[in-house]
Amino acid sequence: MMKKRRIQIVIIVMLAICIYIMNQIVFFKDREFERAVRDTLISSRVSMVDRREKELGGIIWKKDLERVQFVSINFREYKVKNIEDIKYFKNAKTVWFSYISSYDGDESIYEDEHALDNIYIIKKLRYLENLHLYHLKINEDIEDMFPDVNVSIE
């Protein structure tokens, strides 16, 4: 009887440890957003300008993304459908979502109407100072939504 009780306690402790560890791991909802992060995460930046030589492999921990202060994703290269995963970048000061043209003078926009449906999640970023949205289809009045943030829309 006592041996059975010890086994139950060990199982409960192991389960609690597993739950704790799983809660520290980032699980991306959008595969393209994840690919953008894995391709461009360098130190405290996720930048469309700086690319890693080799894609970041393995587990991405929440604490690593909380250190990031600058997030920049090119929607032409990464066909992001849902920006909900921005929530992991809690300390970001600048968020830059754009659809960079392939040549000068290209005025095309990213046509996915629902890519920015979760833009309200960006409000939860504590230190956000700048929000840049270029050539993306916008359905809401973003400037009113973020009164304390420098918003730039083109």
Side-chain angles (χ1 to χ4, degrees):
M1 184 68 170
M2 194 59 113
K3 188 174 183 178
K4 190 174 185 181
R5 177 64 70 195
R6 286 185 186 153
I7 292 173
Q8 289 173 340
I9 291 172
V10 168
I11 290 173
I12 290 172
V13 168
M14 295 292 283
L15 186 61
I17 291 171
C18 288
I19 290 171
Y20 174 78
I21 291 172
M22 293 297 289
N23 196 33
Q24 303 304 311
I25 298 173
V26 173
F27 294 100
F28 290 95
K29 296 205 178 352
D30 188 288
R31 286 284 169 216
E32 286 294 298
F33 198 102
E34 178 180 7
R35 189 169 72 90
V37 171
R38 288 185 181 278
D39 284 351
T40 61
L41 178 63
I42 299 173
S43 185
S44 65
R45 300 173 61 89
V46 171
S47 175
M48 63 185 162
V49 177
D50 303 323
R51 293 186 60 108
R52 300 174 65 86
E53 287 183 26
K54 184 178 176 187
E55 179 182 279
L56 183 66
I59 294 172
I60 297 178
W61 299 96
K62 288 180 182 178
K63 66 179 170 133
D64 293 334
L65 297 186
E66 288 173 2
R67 291 186 201 132
V68 173
Q69 295 183 6
F70 180 86
V71 178
S72 170
I73 296 178
N74 180 0
F75 282 51
R76 182 178 293 278
E77 185 172 351
Y78 304 102
K79 306 290 190 234
V80 175
K81 302 284 186 212
N82 183 348
I83 62 165
E84 184 177 345
D85 297 320
I86 195 71
K87 67 185 176 192
Y88 297 117
F89 300 90
K90 293 179 179 177
N91 296 317
K93 292 182 179 179
T94 301
V95 174
W96 193 302
F97 292 142
S98 60
Y99 185 70
I100 301 295
S101 60
S102 53
Y103 59 89
D104 285 341
D106 183 7
E107 296 292 324
S108 60
I109 64 170
Y110 190 57
E111 291 295 330
D112 188 338
E113 295 179 5
H114 303 291
L116 298 178
D117 281 354
N118 296 331
I119 193 100
Y120 64 90
I121 291 174
I122 295 177
K123 283 182 161 184
K124 296 178 182 175
L125 304 181
R126 290 181 277 199
Y127 303 107
L128 186 66
E129 296 172 359
N130 300 296
L131 175 61
H132 304 279
L133 304 170
Y134 292 108
H135 299 279
L136 300 172
K137 190 172 250 183
I138 298 169
N139 299 331
E140 301 171 38
D141 191 5
I142 305 297
E143 291 171 342
D144 288 342
M145 189 181 286
F146 298 96
D148 299 331
V149 176
N150 179 21
V151 177
S152 178
I153 299 173
E154 185 179 309

